[in-house]
Amino acid sequence: MPDGVFAVAIIFMVIVAPVWIIFHYVTRWRIAKTLSADDEQMLSELWHSANKMEDRIRQLEKILDAEAPGWRAKA
């Protein structure tokens, strides 16, 4: 009987334990890879801010084009 227990222990250590550890860390990696609710909200706010800044820059460029037509060549 002790030989059977020893064989089961060896099989567990060689096959089951490594697979178990690999799946554990793969699961942890997938959980860490996803965005939390706070991260999603912050990303949404940053996206909105970037769009507002892009609109402002376009408006400023239109104003500069009207008031100082050669400003792009100077920059």
Side-chain angles (χ1 to χ4, degrees):
M1 185 72 174
D3 290 337
V5 172
F6 183 71
V8 170
I10 294 295
I11 291 172
F12 179 81
M13 295 293 285
V14 171
I15 297 172
V16 176
V19 171
W20 191 355
I21 291 170
I22 289 169
F23 281 128
H24 168 75
Y25 284 106
V26 165
T27 303
R28 292 280 183 169
W29 176 68
R30 286 185 180 166
I31 290 170
K33 195 170 92 170
T34 60
L35 293 176
S36 68
D38 291 337
D39 291 340
E40 287 183 14
Q41 181 181 1
M42 183 175 59
L43 186 60
S44 175
E45 290 171 1
L46 288 171
W47 181 260
H48 183 68
S49 294
N51 285 335
K52 286 172 54 177
M53 285 190 287
E54 188 176 5
D55 290 340
R56 289 177 182 170
I57 289 169
R58 284 191 186 126
Q59 291 298 322
L60 288 171
E61 287 178 344
K62 285 181 184 179
I63 292 169
L64 284 171
D65 285 338
E67 292 186 9
W71 73 273
R72 289 183 194 263
K74 294 177 186 176

